[in-house]
Amino acid sequence: AQTVTQSQPEMSVQEAETVTLSCTYDTSESNYYLFWYKQPPSRQMILVIRQEAYKQQNATENRFSVNFQKAAKSFSLKISDSQLGDTAMYFCAFLKQGGSEKLVFGKGTKLTVNP
Amino acid sequence: NAGVMQNPRHLVRRRGQEARLRCSPMKGHSHVYWYRQLPEEGLKFMVYLQKENIIDESGMPKERFSAEFPKEGPSILRIQQVVRGDSAAYFCASSPWLAGLNNEQFFGPGTRLTVL
């Protein structure tokens, strides 16, 4: 079974600075997807970024980018130019390709952006 | 195109009552997933359904919980004889076809169940 570990329960960053959230996972699969979801106080789950395991190039979405290290099973999220609206819980998630379509989530990191 | 709809947003039940949570997937989506989020935890998979079929219910408790996704109408997650430990946020997600084939799961706003 796959597991996802987020080792930082809470983090804080000053507005306009850069912050990196950590995620490691354990799997014996070779084909899979990795995701970062944001959950603001409204509790709505919002997809931030996704990475296909077969792609060597790290995914980027505007201020959000990932550092995907497949051999190390590491998938960190970097947020550049942090904004107050980035304050939220961030969840790392794993999806096995071609199997049961269940997302496996980490426990989350609570990010606070300070003015 | 409206997003995934869940209702009610908040549900309060007393121990022993039944809870029914509804999920209307996005238009054109035929795959529905239910997840539960306990306080201070990440989301945990419960069940995956297609129209009229349960595909994977490996995350569902064996007793008191059931789910359906009929040909017409919303998907229903039903919890019988609720206990305090059922208090959680329940999220529904939908996808147009297999998420593993490069399609993401779109989440609803969740239903927060409180058992008194």
Side-chain angles (χ1 to χ4, degrees):
Chain A
Q2 291 78 25
T3 59
V4 177
T5 302
Q6 294 179 248
S7 59
Q8 305 151 314
E10 293 191 38
M11 293 194 71
S12 63
V13 64
Q14 292 299 122
E15 197 174 5
E17 293 188 346
T18 296
V19 64
T20 298
L21 309 184
S22 300
C23 172
T24 58
Y25 59 95
D26 188 23
T27 184
S28 57
E29 303 292 332
S30 53
N31 298 317
Y32 51 88
Y33 297 87
L34 295 162
F35 305 84
W36 279 98
Y37 280 89
K38 170 185 177 180
Q39 187 179 44
S42 67
R43 302 187 71 86
Q44 176 73 52
M45 294 292 286
I46 302 165
L47 179 64
V48 174
I49 199 165
R50 65 184 287 156
Q51 174 79 43
E52 290 85 350
Y54 64 86
K55 289 188 178 178
Q56 292 185 335
Q57 186 172 7
N58 289 324
T60 63
E61 285 289 341
N62 301 313
R63 298 182 295 108
F64 299 88
S65 61
V66 298
N67 183 3
F68 174 47
Q69 301 290 328
K70 190 171 183 180
K73 295 180 183 173
S74 171
F75 183 62
S76 60
L77 175 69
K78 185 171 84 171
I79 305 174
S80 303
D81 186 26
S82 297
Q83 300 176 359
L84 297 178
D86 295 334
T87 292
M89 285 291 292
Y90 286 82
F91 293 98
C92 179
F94 173 100
L95 178 68
K96 173 184 169 184
Q97 183 177 352
S100 177
E101 301 304 311
K102 54 187 172 186
L103 285 161
V104 178
F105 287 88
K107 289 193 172 185
T109 295
K110 183 177 181 180
L111 176 67
T112 301
V113 180
N114 298 308
Chain B
N1 190 6
V4 178
M5 309 284 283
Q6 289 188 252
N7 66 81
R9 293 294 307 276
H10 300 275
L11 181 61
V12 179
R13 285 288 178 266
R14 296 191 181 278
R15 282 178 295 169
Q17 291 184 321
E18 178 179 288
R20 280 185 180 241
L21 288 61
R22 293 174 181 76
C23 169
S24 296
M26 289 180 68
K27 186 176 181 180
H29 288 194
S30 58
H31 297 239
V32 165
Y33 316 81
W34 285 93
Y35 295 85
R36 177 166 65 175
Q37 184 179 30
L38 295 171
E40 311 300 323
E41 296 281 329
L43 279 68
K44 289 207 182 328
F45 169 81
M46 298 182 75
V47 62
Y48 162 38
L49 309 104
Q50 296 177 21
K51 286 281 187 181
E52 299 184 281
N53 284 304
I54 297 175
I55 306 303
D56 182 351
E57 55 181 349
S58 59
M60 287 270 277
K62 293 286 187 285
E63 298 177 351
R64 302 189 297 109
F65 285 73
S66 62
E68 63 176 7
F69 188 18
K71 187 177 181 181
E72 302 291 337
S75 175
I76 305 287
L77 179 67
R78 182 183 178 203
I79 311 172
Q80 295 177 291
Q81 299 175 342
V82 296
V83 301
R84 288 214 173 110
D86 296 333
S87 295
Y90 292 82
F91 288 89
C92 169
S94 73
S95 68
W97 57 82
L98 289 176
L101 295 179
N102 212 33
N103 283 288
E104 70 177 87
Q105 296 180 20
F106 295 82
F107 281 83
T111 292
R112 187 190 289 264
L113 172 65
T114 301
V115 179
L116 301 177

